Amino acid sequence: MAAAMDQRVILCMKWGTKYGPEYVNRLYAMVRRHLSGDFSFVCLTDNGEGIRPEVRCLPIPPLNLHLKPGQRDGAWKKLTTFSADLHDLQGTGLFLDLDVVIVGSLDAFFELPGDFYIIRDYPKALPSYRITGNSSVYRFRIGAHADVLEYFRTHMDEVQKHYRNEQSFLSKFLHRQGKLHYWPREWCPSFKYSCIPTWPANYWKAPIVPAHARIIIFHGECNPPDAAAGKRNRRFRHIEPAPWIQENWTE
């Protein structure tokens, strides 16, 4: 796949009230600083108010999920990026979660050969043979994997019975097709596992940016503004402020 020669499209998704427009605006600013050349930036959203004009806001395609009372579709919304016709977008898409912090060049994310790239999931207890990806950062040819969404829509009950969320289903589906690839581990380190010093050094040493890191992933621990201020979401687990987060995570 000659990804480097294609139109490059950065994709993100915002719905509900958990993340405000400032998350989209800061993500755009980080991409602009760290991705050379031209690109399009698209936010799939239910509310484009307050989002900077450089970002093209488009509706999130319908998932057509049959929800039970009280059930939410958030665990599956990213699958709509694999629509056969995603608002007539073309080229190579790089999807980024809103709560990542970009600290290095993104150019190489578009240059690696292969059909589909995703982060290999982080928990240290996972056995090496597990293939689950972390969908905070994934790359694909827009429109090329419409069968992912089509299979989900025609097998909703089966998929939800066997998979907890979209990233586990997506990883297994593309792995069976021989299309699944992982980013180099050092490119997308976990803030939780790779940046916070181990106890007791976390009480006097600030979180670090690991060598060769390009995108820091925040999952299950704290979000970027809290981490920058030294706030952690779990009691009795201390972190020092991390000024480098705020230095990068700005508009």
Side-chain angles (χ1 to χ4, degrees):
M1 179 175 66
M5 302 299 294
D6 294 330
Q7 180 179 356
R8 299 178 301 174
V9 182
I10 301 295
L11 293 162
C12 67
M13 189 175 286
K14 183 182 83 69
W15 72 89
T17 59
K18 182 177 180 179
Y19 298 111
E22 70 277 6
Y23 277 78
V24 180
N25 296 338
R26 289 167 178 162
L27 183 61
Y28 174 87
M30 289 188 291
V31 171
R32 179 68 284 174
R33 288 194 294 269
H34 292 287
L35 181 58
S36 62
D38 296 331
F39 62 89
S40 299
F41 195 107
V42 173
C43 179
L44 301 173
T45 184
D46 59 0
N47 183 0
E49 184 177 354
I51 294 177
R52 59 194 299 166
E54 299 95 331
V55 176
R56 185 182 179 190
C57 292
L58 296 170
I60 300 172
L63 187 58
N64 298 335
L65 178 63
H66 307 302
L67 297 175
K68 300 174 183 177
Q71 183 185 10
R72 301 174 65 185
D73 63 354
W76 306 98
K77 277 186 183 290
K78 288 183 187 177
L79 293 180
T80 62
T81 61
F82 299 101
S83 299
D85 181 9
L86 185 61
H87 298 294
D88 293 323
L89 296 173
Q90 296 182 357
T92 300
L94 181 67
F95 185 95
L96 302 174
D97 271 356
L98 293 178
D99 59 351
V100 302
V101 175
I102 302 174
V103 295
S105 173
L106 299 179
D107 291 356
F109 285 86
F110 288 93
E111 296 167 356
L112 289 180
D115 293 284
F116 180 88
Y117 273 89
I118 195 169
I119 302 169
R120 190 157 200 162
D121 209 10
Y122 297 108
K124 296 178 180 179
L126 283 179
S128 59
Y129 59 81
R130 280 198 56 177
I131 64 169
T132 300
N134 179 300
S135 61
S136 295
V137 181
Y138 60 89
R139 191 201 77 194
F140 63 107
R141 183 81 171 176
I142 295 174
H145 304 290
D147 55 337
V148 171
L149 181 57
E150 180 62 24
Y151 187 91
F152 176 77
R153 284 174 169 164
T154 56
H155 299 78
M156 288 185 183
D157 292 340
E158 172 196 326
V159 171
Q160 292 180 87
K161 179 180 179 181
H162 291 95
Y163 301 97
R164 188 165 59 94
N165 51 35
E166 86 347 276
Q167 63 187 20
S168 57
F169 162 65
L170 175 64
S171 302
K172 183 64 70 68
F173 191 93
L174 291 177
H175 174 72
R176 286 197 295 260
Q177 296 180 345
K179 298 177 180 178
L180 183 69
H181 303 275
Y182 301 110
W183 301 118
R185 176 69 76 177
E186 64 271 17
W187 284 13
C188 302
S190 157
F191 180 79
K192 177 179 179 180
Y193 292 123
S194 300
C195 299
I196 302 174
T198 56
W199 183 90
N202 59 303
Y203 279 89
W204 64 84
K205 289 185 177 180
I208 64 166
V209 177
H212 311 298
R214 298 172 186 242
I215 305 176
I216 307 297
I217 309 303
F218 289 76
H219 60 104
E221 190 68 24
C222 49
N223 60 29
D226 285 343
K231 299 178 182 178
R232 208 163 176 180
N233 294 344
R234 298 186 182 185
R235 295 181 64 188
F236 309 119
R237 293 193 178 185
H238 177 81
I239 56 170
E240 289 291 292
W244 57 265
I245 296 177
Q246 198 59 49
E247 292 168 3
N248 287 279
W249 205 65
T250 60
E251 295 185 41

